[in-house]
Amino acid sequence: MINQLKGTTIKVDDGQVTLTDYMGSDLSVVNAARVSFGKHKSEMDDKDVKLINYLGAHKHMSPFRHVIFTFTLEGVSEVVCRQLYKHQVGCAYTSGEFKEAATTWNEISGRYVKLEPEFHVPANFRKQSKSNKQASVEGENVETEDAVRAIYLDAMEHSFAAYKKLLDLGVCGEQARMVMPLSFKNSLIWTASLEATINFIKLRDHEGAQLEIRNLARAIKKLIEPICPHSIEALLKSSK
Amino acid sequence: MINQLKGTTIKVDDGQVTLTDYMGSDLSVVNAARVSFGKHKSEMDDKDVKLINYLGAHKHMSPFRHVIFTFTLEGVSEVVCRQLYKHQVGCAYTSGEFKEAATTWNEISGRYVKLEPEFHVPANFRKQSKSNKQASVEGENVETEDAVRAIYLDAMEHSFAAYKKLLDLGVCGEQARMVMPLSFKNSLIWTASLEATINFIKLRDHEGAQLEIRNLARAIKKLIEPICPHSIEALLKSSK
Amino acid sequence: MINQLKGTTIKVDDGQVTLTDYMGSDLSVVNAARVSFGKHKSEMDDKDVKLINYLGAHKHMSPFRHVIFTFTLEGVSEVVCRQLYKHQVGCAYTSGEFKEAATTWNEISGRYVKLEPEFHVPANFRKQSKSNKQASVEGENVETEDAVRAIYLDAMEHSFAAYKKLLDLGVCGEQARMVMPLSFKNSLIWTASLEATINFIKLRDHEGAQLEIRNLARAIKKLIEPICPHSIEALLKSSK
Amino acid sequence: MINQLKGTTIKVDDGQVTLTDYMGSDLSVVNAARVSFGKHKSEMDDKDVKLINYLGAHKHMSPFRHVIFTFTLEGVSEVVCRQLYKHQVGCAYTSGEFKEAATTWNEISGRYVKLEPEFHVPANFRKQSKSNKQASVEGENVETEDAVRAIYLDAMEHSFAAYKKLLDLGVCGEQARMVMPLSFKNSLIWTASLEATINFIKLRDHEGAQLEIRNLARAIKKLIEPICPHSIEALLKSSK
């Protein structure tokens, strides 16, 4: 039953995140914490839930590092990827950067490129927050969305045309890509322990975070919730 | 078929190591390395084997970090545990240290304690190497094994008796345990990426390593070999 | 002036900890956090203190990872060392384990070995706590300290005598050391970022921790306090 | 004398790297490796050089983790930064990303922005390699450099104009920056152990790497060479 979770996908803006693989559960946390007693339980009971809460509240983190998730992110902008690169502790990732993508494009240079699937185009353009220089407000969009979208799309198109011209003139891919915008979509495989995943969610699922990243954090939380609900609750309550 | 590997146990000296959980395979490495092309393969072919060898030879390590293993070690001495604590990169562990064990013992203080299952007792006592101050020679044992074993067992017994006397006089477990010998057996759960696991095997499955650790490295290699044979070969060939 | 801190030593029980080296200060945290503005300040002001508090309160940890300390621990028991091995994130250590020590001893086997400098002998033997199976109570010592100390010292002596006999009979050092007690003293060099150091202090300078470790945590806090007082305060306040 | 190294800057393309801080030296490696013998040397001799070579050749890496460097990178494109984010093990960084920069710009929106100091503009445009899809050849430039440079500069200008228009229309900085090109310059503070730094140099100072990254790796090597020449030589010889 639980194994059906592998491959579950959630849309995040105009990209998506998939739970590609995982190992462990609340039981793995319990069994790790009780390793010295030589007992290996195969079903949870109330005492186990209490143990998990105790571990979380007292920051005994090591048992939470034996539950691991692999997420595949597709169609996410460089800006989102960068936030994941930064979660160094207990994480590993392989990024399908621009370099390889450039190579593929080069090979199929004649094809008609549709901008939308290749670049992130916001569904809504949010207003700048007055109170916080680095934030926007969810739900408050600019009045002139059509004009804004036209400028945005034109910028993508212009950059991409320049990129193709540079390649046509023989410039190497690694220099030509410098003109490409941050909205260009990337793919990323991200493997992280439960502890690291919750740490990411705590930092990014709150008001001050960029909405695009917050949406990703919410999706990741939804994907892992059925696997280890008690551990997630205990760690989110814990004040780290 | 491959899922039957979970729970496989190999004896190592008078302890054992179990592959408790794992995720990923050679295919995960391949799929991670090709993330930018949006292809997710479900069967290996010759091109994939070549790709894995290329990644290993050129030290592109990140795709190898999405394959993860959890090992449960039981009945291993502090000396072995310490070597695993030291492999920090890409590893996590939960140790069932002496502290809890002491607590349990305390509760059942009247019971008859059999030395052998609680302490590591070597099957053979090896000679000190003349050429290398820090090593022994596999297969070359001391002539007086009976005398040696008697001294060894007496030492265990004496330490353990002192430990129990201290507890009986009301000394706290955390101070009483200071008299216990390094041969006391511990349990340990060790979760590590494929990269980190191979790194451990490379460092410990060779002549200069302590035989007890080398036996563990060999057992771990045997446990993971069916899961990702091509990646293991590629990484062991690579000179890291 | 501040450079005179290098080499400062604090006694911890019958061992000691030295601040061997360090780099950075509160200013490094401030300069890291403001890297984008191209300003490099060389003196702190009130705005900088506010910035540090903001970073701590909002768990923006990366600026705190550019301040690094190296501690040399001498004469600490295996039990203390083990706690430091466990602080994996942002730490590195080199341990002068038993193996090498055994080698040296072997060479000078004729010498008179004084137990006290080589083994940890508690100044006081604390009572076992009734309420917490894994703890003792600071200040509450057993009534029969002389009897307890005699048993403890006899156990050290007996183990050490067995160790020497095994070596004399030609047993390799790596097997002979298995009879040695956890009280045997080790040396350790521990390098950790400010974030990791504070994390260790938070976990270990509190009631539930073993007093020997707690004393070490307190000494480490004292050593680093003059270097980055504002960052330490901000991180200790932060609830991580 | 050696302390004068702090603050040394080397130009890398149209950016620069500065050795902002460091701790340790070849002697720290030697002292860490000999921690068990209780000797702390203050001058290197031939035996120490041999020890360092032995450690490198046998991959005993832990003593090399007590030497730490902090580098400040200024005026480097996102493409270069990304390579440093990826060196996770034993590294920490604080990036002065686009977000803050956007904020500053916003404040001084009336100013005349010179493209060249804000965006990376290659001194030479290299040809695409025929044999290696992902590389260029050092020294082989395109024939039409003037035409190429005009396209490149026009692309920067167009993206930047769009960015400013979006801000003027009230779009939040975090969405507006999506149109900015990868050539936009960032600042970054990177703290890494000697082991991690050498690992970066090994991976990036070779033919297959992008020339811009290779130039950075060469500059970093030059900066640290006077601090621990023997360790650098030993680690570069070692095949990791």
Side-chain angles (χ1 to χ4, degrees):
Chain A
M1 178 184 58
I2 248 203
N3 245 338
Q4 295 170 351
L5 294 172
K6 280 193 199 175
T8 314
T9 291
I10 295 183
K11 297 273 166 205
V12 180
D13 297 317
D14 53 355
Q16 63 177 38
V17 55
T18 301
L19 179 66
T20 307
D21 209 348
Y22 70 92
M23 68 182 222
S25 66
D26 279 336
L27 262 176
S28 317
V29 177
V30 164
N31 283 325
R34 293 220 182 91
V35 58
S36 59
F37 298 100
K39 287 174 204 153
H40 191 83
K41 299 185 75 167
S42 51
E43 226 165 305
M44 292 279 294
D45 61 29
D46 282 1
K47 271 179 93 170
D48 300 327
V49 178
K50 267 187 201 161
L51 174 59
I52 285 176
N53 283 322
Y54 176 87
L55 296 169
H58 291 77
K59 316 264 183 227
H60 292 304
M61 290 312 196
S62 64
F64 298 106
R65 293 183 193 129
H66 303 290
V67 180
I68 315 269
F69 312 106
T70 296
F71 303 99
T72 302
L73 286 85
E74 287 162 287
V76 289
S77 76
E78 189 57 31
V79 171
V80 170
C81 291
R82 230 161 27 181
Q83 291 305 327
L84 293 171
Y85 296 159
K86 295 198 162 177
H87 280 266
Q88 297 194 49
V89 173
C91 305
Y93 52 80
T94 302
S95 159
E97 274 191 25
F98 203 82
K99 204 173 194 178
E100 291 102 316
T103 317
T104 343
W105 275 6
N106 205 0
E107 286 166 348
I108 48 168
S109 61
R111 78 170 163 141
Y112 174 73
V113 176
K114 287 169 294 176
L115 281 178
E116 290 238 1
E118 307 282 0
F119 296 88
H120 167 65
V121 181
N124 295 292
F125 287 89
R126 299 187 298 283
K127 274 189 196 166
Q128 176 64 36
S129 158
K130 302 274 177 206
S131 57
N132 181 344
K133 275 187 214 173
Q134 296 194 4
S136 61
V137 186
E138 198 172 349
E140 285 191 29
N141 302 326
V142 293
E143 286 83 25
T144 55
E145 284 215 277
D146 286 355
V148 157
R149 187 175 318 278
I151 293 167
Y152 189 96
L153 286 172
D154 169 72
M156 309 285 96
E157 224 156 324
H158 194 92
S159 296
F160 187 54
Y163 172 69
K164 284 191 295 187
K165 270 186 249 168
L166 291 173
L167 292 181
D168 284 347
L169 287 168
V171 174
C172 57
E174 65 193 29
Q175 285 187 315
R177 67 176 159 154
M178 294 277 185
V179 305
M180 291 289 276
L182 292 178
S183 60
F184 180 75
K185 285 182 180 173
N186 198 351
S187 295
L188 189 82
I189 294 192
W190 195 62
T191 292
S193 75
L194 171 56
E195 183 195 19
T197 306
I198 294 294
N199 202 16
F200 169 72
I201 292 171
K202 277 191 182 179
L203 276 170
R204 297 298 158 195
D205 182 14
H206 78 90
E207 278 188 26
Q210 179 162 358
L211 187 64
E212 283 75 17
I213 317 279
R214 192 175 185 183
N215 287 339
L216 175 63
R218 287 163 174 167
I220 283 177
K221 193 181 156 197
K222 216 170 189 170
L223 285 172
I224 65 173
E225 225 147 31
I227 297 167
C228 46
H230 298 294
S231 301
I232 294 170
E233 207 195 319
L235 290 171
L236 286 176
K237 257 191 308 200
S238 137
S239 46
K240 184 184 172 171
Chain B
M1 179 186 60
I2 248 203
N3 245 340
Q4 296 171 350
L5 294 172
K6 281 192 200 177
T8 313
T9 291
I10 295 183
K11 298 271 166 208
V12 181
D13 297 318
D14 52 357
Q16 63 178 40
V17 55
T18 301
L19 179 65
T20 307
D21 208 347
Y22 69 92
M23 68 182 220
S25 66
D26 278 338
L27 261 176
S28 317
V29 177
V30 164
N31 283 326
R34 293 218 182 92
V35 60
S36 59
F37 298 101
K39 287 176 205 151
H40 191 85
K41 300 186 73 168
S42 51
E43 225 165 305
M44 292 280 292
D45 62 28
D46 283 2
K47 272 179 92 169
D48 299 327
V49 177
K50 266 186 202 162
L51 174 59
I52 284 175
N53 283 321
Y54 176 89
L55 295 170
H58 291 78
K59 317 262 183 228
H60 292 303
M61 289 313 197
S62 64
F64 297 108
R65 292 182 195 132
H66 303 291
V67 180
I68 315 270
F69 311 107
T70 295
F71 303 99
T72 302
L73 285 85
E74 287 162 287
V76 289
S77 75
E78 188 57 31
V79 171
V80 170
C81 292
R82 229 160 30 181
Q83 291 306 326
L84 293 172
Y85 297 158
K86 297 198 162 178
H87 280 265
Q88 296 195 51
V89 173
C91 305
Y93 52 81
T94 301
S95 161
E97 274 192 26
F98 205 81
K99 204 171 192 181
E100 291 101 318
T103 317
T104 341
W105 274 6
N106 206 0
E107 288 167 345
I108 49 169
S109 61
R111 78 172 162 141
Y112 174 73
V113 176
K114 286 170 294 179
L115 280 179
E116 290 241 358
E118 306 282 0
F119 295 89
H120 167 65
V121 181
N124 296 291
F125 287 89
R126 299 187 299 282
K127 274 188 195 167
Q128 176 64 36
S129 161
K130 303 272 177 209
S131 55
N132 181 346
K133 275 185 212 172
Q134 296 193 3
S136 61
V137 186
E138 196 173 350
E140 284 193 29
N141 301 327
V142 293
E143 286 83 25
T144 54
E145 284 215 275
D146 287 353
V148 158
R149 188 176 317 278
I151 294 166
Y152 189 95
L153 287 172
D154 169 71
M156 309 286 97
E157 224 156 325
H158 194 90
S159 296
F160 188 54
Y163 172 70
K164 283 190 296 184
K165 270 185 251 168
L166 292 174
L167 292 181
D168 285 347
L169 288 167
V171 174
C172 58
E174 64 193 30
Q175 284 187 315
R177 66 177 159 155
M178 294 278 185
V179 305
M180 290 290 277
L182 292 179
S183 60
F184 180 75
K185 284 181 180 175
N186 197 351
S187 295
L188 188 82
I189 294 192
W190 194 61
T191 292
S193 75
L194 172 56
E195 184 195 17
T197 306
I198 294 294
N199 202 17
F200 170 71
I201 292 171
K202 276 191 182 178
L203 275 171
R204 297 298 159 196
D205 182 15
H206 78 90
E207 278 188 24
Q210 179 163 357
L211 188 63
E212 282 76 16
I213 317 279
R214 192 175 185 182
N215 287 340
L216 174 63
R218 286 165 176 165
I220 283 177
K221 192 180 157 197
K222 217 171 189 169
L223 285 171
I224 65 173
E225 225 148 31
I227 298 167
C228 46
H230 298 294
S231 300
I232 293 170
E233 208 195 318
L235 289 171
L236 286 176
K237 256 191 310 199
S238 139
S239 46
K240 183 183 173 173
Chain C
M1 179 185 57
I2 247 201
N3 245 338
Q4 297 170 351
L5 295 172
K6 282 193 198 174
T8 314
T9 292
I10 294 184
K11 298 273 166 207
V12 181
D13 297 318
D14 52 357
Q16 62 177 41
V17 56
T18 302
L19 179 66
T20 307
D21 208 348
Y22 69 92
M23 69 182 217
S25 65
D26 278 337
L27 261 175
S28 316
V29 176
V30 165
N31 283 325
R34 293 220 181 91
V35 58
S36 59
F37 298 101
K39 285 175 205 153
H40 190 85
K41 298 185 74 167
S42 52
E43 227 165 305
M44 293 279 292
D45 61 29
D46 282 2
K47 272 180 91 171
D48 299 327
V49 177
K50 267 187 202 161
L51 175 58
I52 284 176
N53 283 321
Y54 176 89
L55 294 170
H58 291 77
K59 317 265 185 226
H60 292 304
M61 289 313 198
S62 64
F64 297 107
R65 293 183 195 129
H66 303 290
V67 180
I68 315 270
F69 312 106
T70 296
F71 303 100
T72 302
L73 285 84
E74 288 163 286
V76 288
S77 75
E78 190 56 31
V79 171
V80 170
C81 291
R82 231 158 31 177
Q83 292 306 326
L84 293 171
Y85 296 159
K86 296 199 163 179
H87 279 265
Q88 297 194 49
V89 172
C91 304
Y93 51 80
T94 302
S95 160
E97 274 190 25
F98 204 80
K99 203 173 195 177
E100 291 102 315
T103 318
T104 342
W105 275 7
N106 205 358
E107 287 166 347
I108 48 169
S109 60
R111 76 170 163 141
Y112 174 72
V113 177
K114 287 168 294 177
L115 281 179
E116 290 239 2
E118 307 283 358
F119 296 89
H120 167 65
V121 181
N124 295 292
F125 288 89
R126 299 187 298 282
K127 275 189 193 165
Q128 176 64 35
S129 159
K130 303 273 175 208
S131 56
N132 182 345
K133 275 188 214 171
Q134 296 192 5
S136 61
V137 185
E138 198 173 349
E140 285 191 28
N141 301 327
V142 293
E143 286 82 23
T144 55
E145 283 215 279
D146 287 353
V148 157
R149 188 177 316 279
I151 294 166
Y152 189 95
L153 286 172
D154 169 71
M156 308 287 97
E157 224 156 325
H158 194 91
S159 296
F160 187 54
Y163 172 70
K164 283 190 294 185
K165 272 187 249 167
L166 292 173
L167 292 181
D168 285 346
L169 288 168
V171 174
C172 57
E174 65 192 29
Q175 285 187 315
R177 66 175 158 155
M178 294 277 185
V179 305
M180 290 291 275
L182 292 178
S183 60
F184 181 74
K185 285 181 180 174
N186 198 351
S187 295
L188 187 82
I189 294 192
W190 194 62
T191 292
S193 75
L194 171 56
E195 183 195 18
T197 305
I198 295 294
N199 202 15
F200 169 72
I201 293 171
K202 277 191 181 177
L203 276 170
R204 297 299 158 195
D205 182 14
H206 77 90
E207 278 188 25
Q210 178 163 357
L211 187 63
E212 283 75 15
I213 318 278
R214 192 175 186 183
N215 288 338
L216 175 64
R218 287 164 174 166
I220 283 177
K221 193 179 157 200
K222 214 170 192 171
L223 285 172
I224 65 174
E225 226 147 31
I227 298 167
C228 46
H230 298 294
S231 301
I232 293 170
E233 208 195 318
L235 289 170
L236 286 176
K237 257 192 307 199
S238 138
S239 46
K240 184 186 169 171
Chain D
M1 179 187 59
I2 249 202
N3 246 339
Q4 296 171 350
L5 294 172
K6 281 192 198 174
T8 314
T9 292
I10 295 183
K11 298 270 165 206
V12 181
D13 297 319
D14 52 356
Q16 63 178 40
V17 56
T18 301
L19 179 66
T20 306
D21 209 348
Y22 69 92
M23 69 181 219
S25 66
D26 279 336
L27 262 176
S28 317
V29 177
V30 164
N31 283 325
R34 294 219 181 91
V35 59
S36 58
F37 299 101
K39 286 174 203 153
H40 190 84
K41 299 185 72 166
S42 52
E43 225 166 305
M44 292 279 294
D45 61 28
D46 282 1
K47 273 179 94 169
D48 299 327
V49 178
K50 267 188 200 159
L51 175 58
I52 284 175
N53 283 322
Y54 176 89
L55 295 170
H58 291 78
K59 316 264 184 228
H60 292 303
M61 289 312 196
S62 65
F64 297 107
R65 293 183 195 131
H66 304 290
V67 181
I68 315 269
F69 311 106
T70 296
F71 303 100
T72 302
L73 285 85
E74 287 162 287
V76 289
S77 75
E78 189 57 32
V79 171
V80 169
C81 291
R82 229 160 31 182
Q83 291 307 325
L84 293 172
Y85 297 158
K86 297 199 162 177
H87 280 266
Q88 296 194 50
V89 173
C91 303
Y93 53 80
T94 302
S95 161
E97 273 191 26
F98 206 79
K99 203 174 194 179
E100 292 103 315
T103 317
T104 344
W105 275 6
N106 205 357
E107 287 167 346
I108 49 169
S109 61
R111 76 170 166 146
Y112 174 73
V113 176
K114 288 169 292 175
L115 281 178
E116 291 240 0
E118 306 283 359
F119 297 90
H120 167 65
V121 181
N124 296 292
F125 287 89
R126 300 187 299 281
K127 276 188 195 167
Q128 176 65 36
S129 160
K130 303 274 176 207
S131 56
N132 181 345
K133 275 186 215 173
Q134 294 194 3
S136 62
V137 186
E138 196 172 350
E140 283 191 30
N141 301 326
V142 292
E143 285 83 25
T144 55
E145 286 215 276
D146 287 353
V148 157
R149 186 175 318 277
I151 294 166
Y152 188 95
L153 286 172
D154 169 71
M156 308 287 97
E157 223 155 326
H158 194 91
S159 297
F160 188 54
Y163 172 71
K164 284 189 296 186
K165 271 186 249 167
L166 292 173
L167 292 181
D168 285 345
L169 288 168
V171 174
C172 57
E174 65 193 29
Q175 285 188 315
R177 65 177 160 157
M178 295 276 185
V179 305
M180 289 291 277
L182 292 179
S183 60
F184 181 74
K185 285 180 179 174
N186 198 352
S187 295
L188 189 83
I189 294 192
W190 194 62
T191 292
S193 75
L194 172 56
E195 183 194 19
T197 306
I198 295 294
N199 202 16
F200 169 73
I201 293 171
K202 276 191 182 177
L203 276 170
R204 297 299 158 194
D205 182 14
H206 77 90
E207 277 188 25
Q210 179 163 356
L211 187 62
E212 282 77 15
I213 317 280
R214 191 176 187 183
N215 288 339
L216 174 64
R218 287 165 176 166
I220 283 177
K221 192 180 158 199
K222 216 170 189 170
L223 284 172
I224 65 173
E225 224 147 32
I227 297 167
C228 46
H230 298 295
S231 300
I232 293 170
E233 208 194 319
L235 289 171
L236 287 176
K237 257 192 307 199
S238 139
S239 44
K240 181 182 176 175

